[in-house]
Amino acid sequence: MNQMTPIDTALEARMANAIRALAMDAVEAAKSGHPGAPMGMADVAAVLFNRFMRVDPTTHDWPDRDRFVMSAGHGSMLVYAINHMLGYDDMGMDQIRAFRQMGSRTAGHPEYGHAKGIETTTGPLGQGITTAVGMALAERMANARWGDDLVDHHTYVIAGDGCLMEGISHEAIDLAGHLRLGRLIVLWDDNGITIDGNTDLSTSTDQKARFAAAGWHVQQVDGHDREAVAAAIEAARADDRPSMIACKTVIGFGAPNKQGSHSVHGAPLGAEEIAAAREALDWPYEPFFLPDDVLNGWAAIASHGAEARANWTARLDSSKNRNEFMAAQGQPNEAALRSAIGEYCHKLVAERPKVATRKSSEMALEIVNATLPNTIGGSADLTGSNNTLTKGMQPIRSGDYSGRYIHYGIREHAMAAVMNGIALHGGFIPYGGTFLAFADYSRPAIRLGALMGVRVIHVMTHDSIGLGEDGPTHQPVEHLAALRAIPNLQVFRPADAVETAEAWEIALLSESTPSVLCLSRQNLPAVRTEDEGENRSLRGAYVLRSTPAPRDVTLIATGSEVEIALAAADLLREQRIDAAVISAPCFELFAAQDRAYRQGVLCDAPRIGIEAAIRQGWDLMLRPEDGFIGMTGFGASAPSPELYRHFDITPEAVAALARQLIEGKK
Amino acid sequence: MNQMTPIDTALEARMANAIRALAMDAVEAAKSGHPGAPMGMADVAAVLFNRFMRVDPTTHDWPDRDRFVMSAGHGSMLVYAINHMLGYDDMGMDQIRAFRQMGSRTAGHPEYGHAKGIETTTGPLGQGITTAVGMALAERMANARWGDDLVDHHTYVIAGDGCLMEGISHEAIDLAGHLRLGRLIVLWDDNGITIDGNTDLSTSTDQKARFAAAGWHVQQVDGHDREAVAAAIEAARADDRPSMIACKTVIGFGAPNKQGSHSVHGAPLGAEEIAAAREALDWPYEPFFLPDDVLNGWAAIASHGAEARANWTARLDSSKNRNEFMAAQGQPNEAALRSAIGEYCHKLVAERPKVATRKSSEMALEIVNATLPNTIGGSADLTGSNNTLTKGMQPIRSGDYSGRYIHYGIREHAMAAVMNGIALHGGFIPYGGTFLAFADYSRPAIRLGALMGVRVIHVMTHDSIGLGEDGPTHQPVEHLAALRAIPNLQVFRPADAVETAEAWEIALLSESTPSVLCLSRQNLPAVRTEDEGENRSLRGAYVLRSTPAPRDVTLIATGSEVEIALAAADLLREQRIDAAVISAPCFELFAAQDRAYRQGVLCDAPRIGIEAAIRQGWDLMLRPEDGFIGMTGFGASAPSPELYRHFDITPEAVAALARQLIEGKK
């Protein structure tokens, strides 16, 4: 426990009631929100913070702080109430009063980056608990590298019934149990209520048995018996397995006429019920008022945290690992990375390897992983297909977290959320592989990473019909468009080994934007054959093959179709047509260029977009009168070259369309 | 058991080896594919078909057939081998020889609709087992309606480690256990191997305990001990809980040097190993040759099935439920639906209700559910928000499947896959609700439904920043674009009660296309105020407010933004600018119209698209010089009207942009 002094349990009860009061008052003022979970879990949260949590509001990003994740994100007022009372300087009572209002930090769901002490954005259910698995894993990885002196903290999660019903929770608990993440403690708000009514409307699962089956330490307590909760958390900390504590609670505890019912889940209590709750809780204060004893109680937690942080700082200063530790907390070594990638690209333009971009990615990763010590690789059971494992990388295993490679299992969704958690924890840059078609499985977590702005790199191979025989279930057709649609996400589709290395460099240096690398299964020729001494992909799209001005037609392609564009340009040359070829590895970066650059690349001649995918999203590049060679529906099962012919994505088709457009313009 | 005659176990062993031989020969010929699972599960499959399955290859769509789902879809050759030997007339040896080749029915993964006897498309892991839950539920629902005489079959699933690691499997088994779907029997190919290596690289879950925790009947057998397998299937059939049988198998069983290793999972065995396997299996035949005794053994299964089907037909012919049953198997009563919706719309144009389109949807559903007896509603725990429950609908419960409403729980992904299964089973039209932002959770199953072409209706409410305070995690911004990107999916965003009713009519009558209805949380005025006597939404977009020709500007909007377009047109009218307003409830249907219709709607004047979402996908409507009023990034947490002002999606902004475009053109 944090405190050597005896617990003032009467005060602790009032500290819990303060959470309840702020939650019901803020929801009432906002006329919207969820009082049920904060009121139900107030006792558990008060015990957790009062007796265990080590956070320092004056240094909110102290690396060795405990992490608290409100996976049931709709109960955001629990977080805001606690952070207000702990004294975070950006969470004044003005913020509590402005709950869910424009411009406030107290959004409907906790938003990472909006306020200090919010470790991750939650709301879409199941994301928090899975992101927390990533945090708990990062803690163990950091501990394995830098020792107990510098890394020794816990990750606590409050999860609701919804979190545990969502499929991603299975992936999370299976992985956490397998990796024996003993510092992960999940407090399940077992209130028996969901939005539609009692949980027995839709589930009969014995959650305790389910967690035990996944290798977890499991307990059950009355969530309003604070001593029992404290004892359970103690026992959970003592066990070396991840722990789940089923906290039997009454949703909306304290609201005498509504508690225990789904009516208290997601709506204001109303003035009358709030008055009754004040009575029931013996809380005779005005709305938003906090008595001094309660404030002092919460302030004591903060000062214990500040003390722990000061002790840690002293240990850091005397640690032989200080420099390495601090370097890992900061930005990757940009100069070293640029120099290593630059040198590698210099070699590539000479050697011109004809390899799949998934292989190019592995080659680039050999450089990256040798240059940046804190990248963490992995794959959702497609290591040999995604080419994500580089030489000497050891797997991370239960009890041995010194490795750099995570076997995520067949769990694309958890992989993405765990990577979010690793990035949020700090100290590491995670990347992980799957097939591009399965981006759909990861999508909710990819989106959340984009919303939070974390540096996570999704390696997605087998990026088109070019994967061949596996057929339409495995062939991405709409996935490029669907990913490009997500704000603050960089989608790369490199054409050869040089562009792949460039994409890696950009992704690794994008501190607050996740990236997706879409890579081919099939071999592709080198298209970048000269060393321009710069990362051309940074512009998003650029003239790969120029022509005398004015050009007759502009061929714009990405990834594996750049080869087709070049071949089409050759065909057209034989017919005395000057076709420029634009390689467009990243639409988002191109969209960010100024108009003059974009116009200089695209010019006025007829344009043809070429991508073995649907046209949606190409309006960035194409006008209605321009052409597109790609897909209009799902793929098929056959060898890749036959599929390209079948769907008419060939140099001949491009050349024919070019002639048609040029004729039409005359 | 099917057969009264004693089992010829020696023959059954050869029938299993025939699956192995065809699988290894076909994969070898294709130079790609997965021999491991078909060879490992051949014994289990032979027992299942030989002793239990009731299918009739001469009447592949016999409604009371048993369903077989190869959830581990990469093991597709198991399905093709069996269906060939059972004598399905579209699965000749030419198809087996053309495995994974262009135009063959034997795609890399089993594709629904490509060949008879493929009950669902599988490949993306976890989908098969969850779709099967839908089939097993549909069986019970049909049984509750039409009795044991007409509906009395089982759903069998072969699932691999991947299926059980995927999150969706948790949702599936939790729901199946809760609903006590005793006729669902999952045969787990427990071979201890995944692509990356042994399963202990990534999982430690005790699957048997996990299924037991979800209320399943659980057994474990040696998957190569056919008598034990048969006994386990018998016991599973006798138990009234869903059953999981852990079949301990050797992956690639029969390939003496490679079996039991991940090298046999997804690559051809090679000529040498195939020769060794022929030796080991005592299978001295040429590739693709099947001896008569084996063919006779499989043919006997087919004739037992044909007999069962004939008996069933006799029962059907004498059943009092015959007409009702047959009607449920066919198309919904189009005339009745059109008439009821038409009459309802006639009332609506007079009453002009100002309600949210989610409420409009409930109003339309009252008509729909009264008219079509076999719609099955549901929600992923957002019943009161999605407005999916109409008067008198009773919930489906464990042991009582006579209801029409499914509490799917907080399981968006399973909901979508289960709906696919219900639709594939036949007899029902499923619809289910969640928030549009959580379309991301359902996406893999939505895509699979589109690929298969099933009639499933996704009700997705809270379709924009208009949902207000819940903030960016819950506010769809890119989801409309991402859904429109999926081929063969109809995405509706109706503007008022009339358009909502029209969307329902179209969705219900779209036999081979799933639909998504994107509906507002906030109230919207009636915009369709005249009875045109036709379903105008059928054209996808239409002139809602016309102007004297030539118009000055065209405002194109969807859903809640049609109101804004109309208000903008009013503002412009005051400035003597003629703005036509186009309502565009369904882009896919508009894209399918001929050029003349589209041009007639859009005209040449400057255009402005208005949608509280990103611009991607609007190239269907807009030219580069046109304008767009919408979102460029994530939303925020605040009351809805403030958000519209904050993001400048207002009549004033539209009018200002219109003036700018008109000026620019002059």
Side-chain angles (χ1 to χ4, degrees), chain A residues 190-267:
Chain A
D190 180 12
N191 58 33
I193 295 290
T194 69
I195 292 176
D196 273 8
N198 293 346
T199 48
D200 63 11
L201 271 179
S202 57
T203 185
S204 309
T205 286
D206 178 343
Q207 293 288 357
K208 300 198 298 294
R210 173 193 173 208
F211 276 79
W216 285 55
H217 172 240
V218 175
Q219 301 172 86
Q220 177 168 344
V221 295
D222 174 349
H224 303 296
D225 176 345
R226 289 188 310 284
E227 295 311 315
V229 170
I233 296 176
E234 280 280 13
R237 288 164 53 107
D239 198 281
D240 72 345
R241 293 166 291 176
S243 281
M244 190 278 267
I245 306 173
C247 305
K248 279 273 174 201
T249 61
V250 176
I251 192 170
F253 185 96
N257 307 302
K258 292 191 169 180
Q259 67 183 21
S261 136
H262 68 123
S263 68
V264 82
H265 167 88

Side-chain angles (χ1 to χ4, degrees), chain B residues 542-548 550-557 565-566 568-570 572 577-583 600-603 605-608 610 654:
Chain B
Y542 60 89
V543 180
L544 176 66
R545 180 184 296 186
S546 58
T547 64
R551 61 176 82 146
D552 297 318
V553 64
T554 302
L555 309 180
I556 313 162
L566 289 168
D570 289 342
L572 289 166
I577 295 174
D578 284 328
V581 175
I582 311 302
S583 182
V601 169
L602 296 176
C603 295
R607 303 173 193 161
I608 298 176
I610 313 161
V654 173

Side-chain angles (χ1 to χ4, degrees), chain B residues 110-191:
Chain B
E111 304 283 342
Y112 174 75
H114 282 215
K116 300 171 183 174
I118 297 172
E119 300 287 1
T120 180
T121 296
T122 52
L125 295 174
Q127 296 296 328
I129 187 173
T130 315
T131 304
V133 170
M135 295 176 180
L137 178 55
E139 193 269 351
R140 285 294 88 189
M141 296 192 300
N143 176 276
R145 283 155 178 76
W146 302 300
D148 289 342
D149 266 7
L150 301 188
V151 185
D152 177 22
H153 55 270
H154 284 78
T155 302
Y156 298 98
V157 179
I158 289 183
D161 293 300
C163 293
L164 301 195
M165 280 201 214
E166 289 288 356
I168 190 175
S169 69
H170 167 59
E171 303 184 13
I173 71 172
D174 192 355
L175 188 60
H178 177 68
L179 292 175
R180 222 174 171 85
L181 300 176
R183 278 151 181 268
L184 175 64
I185 297 176
V186 172
L187 301 150
W188 170 33
D189 182 10
D190 180 13
N191 58 33

